[in-house]
Amino acid sequence: MVIKTISFENAQALIGKEAGLSEWRDVSQTMIDQFADATDDHQFIHTDPVRAAAEGPYGGTIAHGFLTLSLLSAMTYEAVPALEGMVAGVNFGFDKVRFMSPVKTGQRIRARFILDKLRERPSGIVEINYNVTIELEGSIKPALTAYWLTLMMPDRTKDRA
């Protein structure tokens, strides 16, 4: 897990460069089943290993695309230095997401973050945009690519002191 911080000025020097690379993460059937329960998406290609092996196009179960996408939050905290003076990060959205390859149960994934934009708003909120690739261990083709928009919220307690 990343515990170091980076200044706004030093972060600016990373624009166009890799800002972080997460550790490899296992995608287990348990994780997939829990996501299916949380989202009510119990399609057999995700939750029924026997049927998915017999009838599915992937030879077994696969992770939901949105499960893979949702892991970006955890992987960014693991891989990307925190911006000094900010207390929380929130999703602002995605301009583009492409699911390139299925993530088969038992595969390992990791995220690569390329910093594309860093801008401080007059409010002190910082916009950070990344070109993100979730890689599949042992594969040239990624699981997904995305352009991720995030907002970092400044520490307002200093304003009240």
Side-chain angles (χ1 to χ4, degrees):
M1 177 173 275
V2 170
I3 51 175
K4 72 176 193 172
T5 60
I6 189 169
S7 69
F8 184 85
E9 294 75 22
N10 287 340
Q12 284 180 311
L14 291 176
I15 293 173
K17 298 178 182 150
E18 184 175 295
L21 179 66
S22 75
E23 296 293 322
W24 289 106
R25 175 178 296 261
D26 295 318
V27 179
S28 68
Q29 187 63 53
T30 300
M31 180 188 293
I32 294 167
D33 291 341
Q34 289 172 340
F35 190 84
D37 289 341
T39 60
D40 274 340
D41 182 353
H42 294 94
Q43 188 177 172
F44 80 93
I45 62 171
H46 304 303
T47 61
D48 188 337
V50 174
R51 185 174 174 202
E55 300 175 30
Y58 306 109
T61 54
I62 60 168
H64 304 73
F66 287 123
L67 166 58
T68 305
L69 186 67
S70 73
L71 291 170
L72 283 175
S73 293
M75 291 189 281
T76 190
Y77 284 113
E78 178 183 296
V80 178
L83 200 57
E84 289 175 357
M86 301 293 136
V87 295
V90 297
N91 289 312
F92 193 53
F94 292 90
D95 274 354
K96 185 176 184 179
V97 176
R98 293 294 179 266
F99 299 101
M100 309 295 289
S101 295
V103 177
K104 295 180 180 182
T105 302
Q107 278 192 296
R108 292 181 358 136
I109 61 172
R110 70 178 177 188
R112 186 176 304 272
F113 300 88
I114 307 296
L115 181 61
D116 185 65
K117 180 181 176 184
L118 180 72
R119 182 179 80 86
E120 186 173 6
R121 295 177 174 181
S123 64
I125 293 171
V126 176
E127 296 177 37
I128 304 176
N129 299 350
Y130 298 100
N131 283 302
V132 181
T133 302
I134 294 187
E135 302 172 350
L136 291 164
E137 189 173 45
S139 176
I140 295 170
K141 193 172 182 183
L144 72 81
T145 60
Y147 190 73
W148 191 17
L149 315 173
T150 66
L151 299 175
M152 298 305 295
M153 302 301 166
D155 183 354
R156 300 285 189 208
T157 59
K158 291 185 281 183
D159 298 341
R160 292 189 294 258

